[in-house]
Amino acid sequence: MDQEDYGVGYIEEDHPLRPEAAAQSLALLQVPDKSGRSRNTSISSSVTDLDAPIYTRDDSRSTRQHGFNGRLVFAIAAAALGSAFQHGYNTGVVNAPQKLIEDWIKVTEHNRTDQVVDQSKVTIIWSIAVAIFCVGGMIGGAITGIVGRKGGLLLNNVLVAVAAIFEGVSKAAGSYEMIIIGRFFIGINSGLNAGLAPMYLAEISPVHLRGAVGTVYQLVITISILVSQILGLESILGTEESWPVLLAITVVPGIFQLVTLPICPESPKYLLLSKGQEMEAQRALTWLRGTIEVHDEMDDMRNEYEAMKLVPKVTIKEMFVNATLRIPLMIAMMVMVAQQLSGINAVMFFSTKIFRMAQLDDKSAQYATLGMGAVNVFMTLVSMVIVEKAGRKTLLLIGFAGMCVTTVLLTISLAYVQNAALWVSYVSILLVILFVVMFAIGPGSIPWFLVSELFNQSARGAATSLAVAVNWTANFIVGIGFLPLQEAMGGNVFIIFTILLALFVLFVYKKVPETKNKTIEEISSMFRQISYQ
């Protein structure tokens, strides 16, 4: 390293304060100002566990914002690929082999009872197998606050192994109950991941990259859904013999995380603010940033740590009683509800039927659905790039407002699609794709990391537990309620989502603050001011 780049402080040879004495004097005079910069002297000191030399911290150096580096990218990949992948893959994997598994359930039940099995019974069994994933997600989300970040993500892979075993051997064992059990365990795993991974990603990223890094979780979800659709093709694993492998392959990202995540450090904020381990926190932050110049970030965390000491540990009851916490909690929970009740799952479900209305054959409709998944991935990448420039609130408003307008047009087109010209069908396809684009711009990714930005360390675990549990509950409600509504209302079912989306736009505009480039202390101070008004 070039000494000039780091502004090393030199003392003239004939100066009465010799270098040996200087080191001792500076060790005794550790009085940095509030910003962490040296005051009127040209030399400042920061004692670290790295036995680093004493450097000056000039303005250009201390205010520099650390960007992406190899270690940070590695930590992001280790945390996100092994967690968000489970969430997305197990959401989408059941769609392609549905008919194959239902036929197998019918045969299995017939072999047990030696009676003709009614299709309605098969449908109930399959519905339970699909919905139990969300029930597990609710439980996993609710217990997020009682486990650590890195340690919780690693231990969570035990549930992946259990789920993969149950699902993988279900056909050989002749037990559809094993699929239900496996889906339940992987649901708990996904619920925990939905809380732990965004928290870990938010806490290891620099303030100016927090939004982009937080978007990675949703990006991996979209990629994994696309992967599940591709692997579910009849030409790959969507066959009568291979569908158990398709379900059990969820163990692969779990193995990846078990190999890579132990190399990464625990969240520096968790180490300092929850465990009080300052040296370990600085060591972790130094590893993640790839430099010893982490003084400013450590100062911010110390300030938050000192502020935390003045308040008792936050309980679930306190989250609702204390106005300073209740306001951001309501925002976090409403944004989670908005994500699920926006109609995205309904549109995803309805897409194949719309494609068939456009006179595409089954195979072409399947590939068109894959194309829609690819668009989802691409637009989530775009969101990751622009979220730090446009801001969270702006992207949420654009996304929900765009989805609202699209559902109005989609309702109109679906009302005329069967008796109209072919071009109306293609308009419907374009509207479905546009809906997915609007969702991916903001509502798809921002809710997952927004909750981590709205709360300090003492409340973050409890807030995340509540918000993620609400998200999975809303997901469950949509999964259970959409099919009956769709059968009763047809294409008019999207009128419900139009009304809800209009309300969500109003809520975001009135209540959701902009958190771009704000520290946790600044955000907390903002809510304190609101609560006093």
Side-chain angles (χ1 to χ4, degrees), residues 268-313:
K269 278 197 172 184
Y270 179 75
L271 288 171
L272 177 60
L273 279 65
S274 296
K275 298 294 186 181
Q277 300 173 356
E278 182 169 341
M279 288 299 183
E280 290 298 321
Q282 182 159 330
R283 193 176 286 120
L285 192 59
T286 300
W287 189 93
L288 289 165
R289 300 293 176 263
T291 175
I292 61 173
E293 288 291 314
V294 294
H295 311 84
D296 293 336
E297 283 193 80
M298 284 300 299
D299 286 344
D300 288 338
M301 287 195 292
R302 289 189 193 101
N303 291 338
E304 188 177 345
Y305 184 46
E306 292 302 320
M308 277 178 52
K309 291 179 181 179
L310 302 177
V311 295
K313 184 175 176 61

Side-chain angles (χ1 to χ4, degrees), residues 104-105 108-109 111-112 169-178:
W104 170 74
I105 291 173
T108 301
E109 188 65 13
N111 292 338
R112 290 180 182 179
V169 304
S170 58
K171 185 178 181 182
S175 171
Y176 53 76
E177 293 87 354
M178 294 182 75

